[in-house]
Amino acid sequence: MVEKVIVLTDEQNRRAEELARQLGYDSADAYLRAVIEGALDDTITAAEILDAVKDGIREARRGGGISVEEFRRRMAQDD
């Protein structure tokens, strides 16, 4: 096992402890380990990306989705 040191502000530590208790963890350490494990497991594979693109193409062929103009308008709103 490898030990890592994470430096938190007092406020971050307080919030981590509070969230840990709310979510049923024994400690902030256990909660933070679970968060890190979840982040490391959330990798997207090339196959998943390809499946999502294929699903999008199928949806577009069925007439679903949004127009290019609507897509551009929505993307411009996020700027």
Side-chain angles (χ1 to χ4, degrees), residues 16-27:
E17 291 287 347
E18 183 179 306
L19 278 171
R21 282 190 302 278
Q22 288 175 2
L23 296 171
Y25 290 93
D26 293 335
S27 66

Side-chain angles (χ1 to χ4, degrees), residues 14-78:
R14 184 196 63 73
R15 290 177 55 208
E17 291 287 347
E18 183 179 306
L19 278 171
R21 282 190 302 278
Q22 288 175 2
L23 296 171
Y25 290 93
D26 293 335
S27 66
D29 290 349
Y31 167 65
L32 293 172
R33 269 193 304 280
V35 168
I36 291 168
E37 287 171 7
L40 294 174
D41 290 342
D42 282 346
T43 57
I44 299 173
T45 65
E48 291 170 325
I49 293 169
L50 186 55
D51 286 343
V53 170
K54 287 179 181 177
D55 289 344
I57 291 169
R58 284 187 206 104
E59 179 69 18
R61 286 185 178 155
R62 286 192 300 267
I66 60 174
S67 67
V68 171
E69 292 80 16
E70 177 65 11
F71 175 78
R72 287 183 180 147
R73 185 183 67 74
R74 290 183 186 183
M75 295 310 302
Q77 288 176 343
D78 291 340

